[in-house]
Amino acid sequence: MHRKLRMLGISAEEADKFAKRDIRQCKDVLTRSDIELLRISDCSYSQIKYLKDVCSEAVAPKVSNALIMSQASSSSNDAIQSNYMSTSLPALDNVLRGGLPVGTITEITGPPGSGKTQFCLMLSTLVVAGGENGVIYIDTEGSFSAQRLMEMMQARFPHMDSVLVENALKRVHVIFTQTCLSLKKSIESIEELIISKDVRLILIDSIASLMRKEFSSASQSIIERTNLLTRLASILKYTAEFFRIPVVATNQTTTQIHDKDTKINKEEAPQEEECRGREETFDMRGQGELVAALGNTWSHSVNTRLILQYLTGGSSARQMMVAKSPVSGFGVVTCRIQTEGIVQCEEGATSYDGTNPNLQKIMCKGQFPSIP
């Protein structure tokens, strides 16, 4: 419903004429009656009818079947490869059957300092250093660092001279958002930027930051947050699938406290106890554990969930865990944060017995993993 009229094959002249009357998206057409549209426009009834037909066709789900979809995705080896974006971590790519799947949402969650932003910056360098493609980086926490991005690019691609590095940096389009409303508006209007800048990756760092700031523990606020998350996930999935690009969103962690035989999620509690410091040890008196934030609604919305967690209390190593994937089993890759980004430490990945992704325990610094 939020697709722009300009993207539907309507001439620029007609689109501008409607825009002057505040009719820019499909919803602006389909939520008005024919008489309303005739009154506020200079169009004939046949033109209005045609416009409504075009908008209806654009927003209505297309009927297909498994054979057509299979043939479209496997018509050639190039097509198969284009279904994934490599992470530059061979073991992780192997577990994910090729890398981050395009057309879907991949979430990266983990405690503070685990390397989520570093992973996003590294993915940005992989896209912009290889050609003329662009990246949209939506920053909600003020954690984006152009200096770190340049350092990472120079270390990873030493053959690039200063001119090539500058041109690559120009193709990372950063959007700073400080409210949920601005985040929603940015995502709803992202299509034109994708087309004009040839964007091949969308990053949101982080999806949880604004949600947890603006919505309290009141039941009505949680309902509003759930509705907003559902709306954002819907737009992101449509955008990812329509443009055949991966969408990557980082998430935070929350404390889940055991209360006798029940588990209480303290995600929205203002006094929640998290691992806020890099050296802080998380124990909650043996009664709590870290899990991914934003609850079941968001957990079901993401297609792939990766968890970045600490390996041991005194080690600089991390674990990249595949906690949810529609195409692979559960796997663990050991890695470290270095100048060129996140680098794989060991040759292969280790499998483990998975659990409900929304209840997956996350190791904070000071803990030891319980993975065999």
Side-chain angles (χ1 to χ4, degrees):
M1 290 290 283
H2 289 272
R3 291 193 65 183
K4 301 293 181 63
L5 298 184
R6 293 177 180 273
M7 306 301 173
L8 304 181
I10 297 174
S11 67
E13 182 180 352
E14 289 182 332
D16 290 337
K17 182 171 65 175
F18 282 112
K20 291 178 181 178
R21 293 161 175 80
D22 201 27
I23 302 176
R24 298 179 175 84
Q25 302 174 337
C26 289
K27 69 171 184 176
D28 300 326
V29 175
L30 299 178
T31 56
R32 288 180 167 91
S33 67
D34 293 347
I35 295 178
E36 286 181 286
L37 292 173
L38 285 170
R39 285 176 178 173
I40 62 178
S41 70
D42 300 327
C43 298
S44 64
Y45 176 75
S46 60
Q47 290 175 315
I48 295 297
K49 188 70 169 62
Y50 171 75
L51 180 62
K52 279 202 165 185
D53 289 342
V54 171
C55 291
S56 297
E57 184 178 352
V59 302
K62 302 298 187 297
V63 178
S64 185
N65 58 58
L67 177 61
I68 294 175
M69 297 172 67
S70 176
Q71 291 173 341
S73 64
S74 61
S75 57
S76 66
N77 290 333
D78 291 340
I80 296 175
Q81 292 298 321
S82 65
N83 287 334
Y84 299 92
M85 173 189 166
S86 174
T87 64
S88 77
L89 303 174
L92 181 60
D93 288 348
N94 184 55
V95 174
L96 294 175
R97 309 290 180 88
L100 303 181
V102 304
T104 65
I105 302 176
T106 297
E107 179 204 73
I108 306 168
T109 188
S114 58
K116 301 184 295 295
T117 298
Q118 300 296 312
F119 189 71
C120 290
L121 292 174
M122 185 182 73
L123 292 177
S124 298
T125 66
L126 297 177
V127 173
V128 299
E132 297 300 321
N133 297 324
V135 171
I136 294 177
Y137 196 116
I138 302 178
D139 183 10
T140 69
E141 296 183 309
S143 57
F144 177 83
S145 172
Q147 290 74 20
R148 176 60 176 138
L149 180 64
M150 179 183 295
E151 177 188 50
M152 198 178 291
M153 190 175 299
Q154 291 172 335
R156 184 170 284 270
F157 305 101
H159 64 280
M160 295 179 64
D161 58 29
S162 58
V163 176
L164 291 176
V165 171
E166 288 179 3
N167 289 334
L169 292 176
K170 290 178 182 178
R171 295 195 294 275
V172 180
H173 308 283
V174 184
I175 301 173
F176 296 100
T177 59
Q178 297 181 334
T179 64
C180 288
L181 179 59
S182 63
L183 175 63
K184 180 174 177 286
K185 288 183 177 179
S186 296
I187 292 176
E188 288 177 344
S189 61
I190 209 169
E191 283 191 1
E192 292 185 25
L193 188 59
I194 293 174
I195 295 173
S196 62
K197 303 301 182 181
D198 193 17
V199 170
R200 304 311 304 163
L201 173 66
I202 298 174
L203 297 158
I204 305 175
D205 187 21
S206 77
I207 197 70
S209 176
L210 300 178
M211 300 292 167
R212 304 174 83 180
K213 289 176 183 177
E214 296 190 22
F215 295 97
S216 67
S217 59
S219 59
Q220 185 60 38
S221 294
I222 299 305
I223 293 174
E224 292 175 359
R225 190 193 75 171
T226 299
N227 292 336
L228 178 58
L229 280 172
T230 302
R231 173 64 187 154
L232 294 180
S234 176
I235 301 174
L236 290 173
K237 282 188 174 182
Y238 162 77
T239 303
E241 183 176 359
F242 183 82
F243 292 101
R244 300 299 298 164
I245 58 178
V247 172
V248 177
T250 65
N251 191 7
Q252 299 175 351
T253 54
T254 187
T255 301
Q256 184 170 262
I257 301 175
H258 295 273
D259 183 14
K260 295 183 179 180
D261 296 329
T262 63
K263 291 183 177 180
I264 303 175
N265 194 315
K266 306 295 289 183
E267 179 183 333
E268 291 81 19
Q271 73 276 13
E272 76 175 324
E273 299 183 50
E274 283 193 5
C275 301
R276 301 188 183 278
R278 294 177 57 87
E279 299 298 333
E280 185 176 354
T281 300
F282 176 75
D283 60 269
M284 288 293 295
R285 300 173 299 280
Q287 296 180 341
E289 56 197 24
L290 287 183
V291 296
L294 299 182
N296 282 320
T297 299
W298 178 252
S299 179
H300 289 303
S301 297
V302 300
N303 304 97
T304 303
R305 168 169 282 171
L306 305 178
I307 294 177
L308 259 174
Q309 64 178 9
Y310 292 96
L311 181 60
T312 61
S315 173
S316 61
R318 309 287 199 275
Q319 283 185 329
M320 178 79 77
M321 304 177 62
V322 179
K324 176 185 178 183
S325 171
V327 298
S328 72
F330 302 97
V332 182
V333 178
T334 304
C335 52
R336 279 189 171 85
I337 299 177
Q338 297 184 354
T339 306
E340 60 268 38
I342 295 181
V343 179
Q344 182 177 314
C345 296
E346 300 175 355
E347 184 173 346
T350 304
S351 61
Y352 71 98
D353 294 330
T355 61
N356 181 337
N358 195 47
L359 303 177
Q360 176 72 54
K361 298 179 183 179
I362 300 173
M363 300 298 166
C364 187
K365 198 160 190 177
Q367 288 184 303
F368 291 84
S370 57
I371 299 171

